[in-house]
Amino acid sequence: MKLQQLRYICEVAKHELNVSTTAQSLFTSQPGISKQIRLLEDELGIQIFARNGKHLVSITPAGEEVLHVANEILHKVETIKQISQEFANETKGVLSIATTHTQARYVLPSTINEFMRDYPDVSLQMQQGTPSQIAEMAASGNVDFAIATEGLEHFSNLLLMPCYQWNRAIIVPKDHPLTQIDRPLSLYELSEYSIVTYVFGFTGRSRLDEAFAQEGLTPKVVFTAADADVIKTYVRLGLGVGIVADMAHDPETDRDLVAISAGHLFKPSITSIAFRRGTFLRGYMYRFVNLFAPHLSQKVISAFMESQGRGEAKKIFESIEIPTL
């Protein structure tokens, strides 16, 4: 059994059993991958993939178990590499992050700018996706960190640390009737208008739905998007009243829009940073987290990683004030 064979079966599974695509991604030949998979199956005495002729059509039950262990082995190998790199050169390496558009566009730029000044020899790679995609990337070890507000808690092998809490803003054109109200807006008043907001599962959308439901109201959501900039575009077109993360309103670039505070209408949401359990964090990784969330020092992160169970982990943050963005 070779590590290369384990890598091949994991990559084939990741590429939806398409051996040709896998070969292209690994810069090798399709026959070479097929041969190594066959050799591994012969050695184990089982079929990892079910076939229809020469085509792989599914993963067998035994194959599912083998793939689970193979992924863990490859993750441990990567950890060994990380340890050796840390001691060989602590300021050089790769940092991969998966996050949503809102985090990438409005929150992370200052953190990344400062991080790259401190670590010019670190290659920083960012991927964007839905919260579930982001969590999957971190859980499978394809990225070092996942940063999101929703979806991360569904993966038991992820460790989540709270970074900051935030709320929402209602955005409307300058001449909108809501701008004439000189008192806090009510949910009932808001429910009278068509609403443009996030797709369910994105950027704390669940908090919005909960607030309306508790008041027995049904919001008239006429358009949803994953991208705050797209939401603002359709607010400008007059499609409806926008509800976005408050940090997504930029006074400079959104001069034609008015942001009305909605903090009294909705419970705050918490954005977390997550990484796979058992991950070895290099020095610059600790630094990145601390730049993004100053209350997460290396001491706090280390204590969190050593905690046993969610109850013990939760106690670590009970005495730490989570900042509001």
Side-chain angles (χ1 to χ4, degrees):
M1 188 185 307
K2 302 175 182 177
L3 282 175
Q4 182 190 54
Q5 294 171 330
L6 300 183
R7 185 168 289 109
Y8 283 171
I9 63 172
C10 290
E11 287 296 318
V12 166
K14 189 186 303 180
H15 287 89
E16 300 179 343
L17 310 187
N18 190 318
V19 180
S20 177
T21 302
T22 302
Q24 291 175 10
S25 70
L26 296 176
F27 303 100
T28 188
S29 68
Q30 180 176 341
I33 291 179
S34 297
K35 179 182 178 181
Q36 290 302 321
I37 291 175
R38 281 291 191 187
L39 288 173
L40 178 60
E41 289 177 324
D42 289 344
E43 180 181 348
L44 297 176
I46 59 170
Q47 272 198 325
I48 297 172
F49 301 107
R51 294 167 173 80
N52 182 3
K54 293 184 178 180
H55 299 287
L56 307 183
V57 293
S58 65
I59 302 171
T60 66
E64 293 283 1
E65 296 296 323
V66 170
L67 282 164
H68 175 73
V69 176
N71 274 302
E72 291 297 323
I73 291 171
L74 293 175
H75 179 67
K76 293 295 184 184
V77 170
E78 187 59 33
T79 297
I80 292 173
K81 291 180 180 178
Q82 293 275 11
I83 293 171
S84 65
Q85 289 170 359
E86 178 67 12
F87 285 93
N89 190 338
E90 62 183 24
T91 63
K92 189 173 183 178
V94 177
L95 176 62
S96 54
I97 303 163
T99 191
T100 62
H101 169 268
T102 298
Q103 303 297 329
R105 167 69 175 82
Y106 296 103
V107 186
L108 279 167
S110 59
T111 296
I112 290 175
N113 188 40
E114 187 170 353
F115 177 82
M116 296 308 295
R117 284 203 306 265
D118 293 346
Y119 295 94
D121 293 328
V122 173
S123 174
L124 201 152
Q125 303 170 353
M126 181 185 292
Q127 298 187 51
Q128 293 184 48
T130 66
S132 59
Q133 289 171 338
I134 291 164
E136 175 63 37
M137 288 182 214
S140 61
N142 291 329
V143 296
D144 298 311
F145 294 125
I147 300 173
T149 301
E150 302 198 34
L152 301 175
E153 68 280 359
H154 300 306
F155 289 80
S156 60
N157 68 334
L158 288 181
L159 296 173
L160 277 67
M161 297 183 293
C163 296
Y164 65 87
Q165 55 184 339
W166 56 273
N167 217 306
R168 292 141 193 83
I170 298 161
I171 54 169
V172 293
K174 284 188 174 182
D175 59 353
H176 195 278
L178 289 181
T179 63
Q180 305 304 313
I181 299 177
D182 58 0
R183 55 174 171 71
L185 190 66
S186 71
L187 277 178
Y188 177 78
E189 288 171 314
L190 189 57
S191 69
E192 292 293 294
Y193 293 90
S194 297
I195 292 173
V196 182
T197 191
Y198 296 106
V199 175
F200 188 81
F202 262 85
T203 318
R205 166 66 192 274
S206 59
R207 295 288 195 192
L208 183 151
D209 294 329
E210 288 170 7
F212 280 103
Q214 287 173 1
E215 294 296 319
L217 299 170
T218 302
K220 294 186 289 187
V221 178
V222 298
F223 182 86
T224 60
D227 185 325
D229 291 336
V230 172
I231 293 171
K232 288 186 284 186
T233 295
Y234 286 90
V235 169
R236 290 183 172 102
L237 291 176
L239 202 63
V241 170
I243 304 178
V244 298
D246 48 12
M247 66 278 214
H249 178 263
D250 187 331
E252 289 299 315
T253 59
D254 299 326
R255 293 181 182 180
D256 58 330
L257 298 175
V258 175
I260 303 170
S261 176
H264 64 292
L265 298 177
F266 307 106
K267 293 180 181 179
S269 293
I270 295 179
T271 292
S272 299
I273 188 165
F275 57 96
R276 182 174 165 137
R277 191 181 302 275
T279 297
F280 175 78
L281 297 186
R282 298 188 62 185
Y284 61 75
M285 295 179 178
Y286 283 107
R287 179 58 177 157
F288 176 84
V289 175
N290 186 239
L291 285 172
F292 184 61
H295 61 286
L296 297 178
S297 64
Q298 183 166 344
K299 182 179 179 181
V300 170
I301 298 170
S302 296
F304 175 69
M305 293 173 68
E306 294 169 3
S307 62
Q308 301 296 318
R310 292 189 175 183
E312 186 177 329
K314 188 177 180 181
K315 288 182 180 179
I316 295 173
F317 297 106
E318 287 179 350
S319 59
I320 298 175
E321 183 177 353
I322 308 302
T324 300
L325 197 64

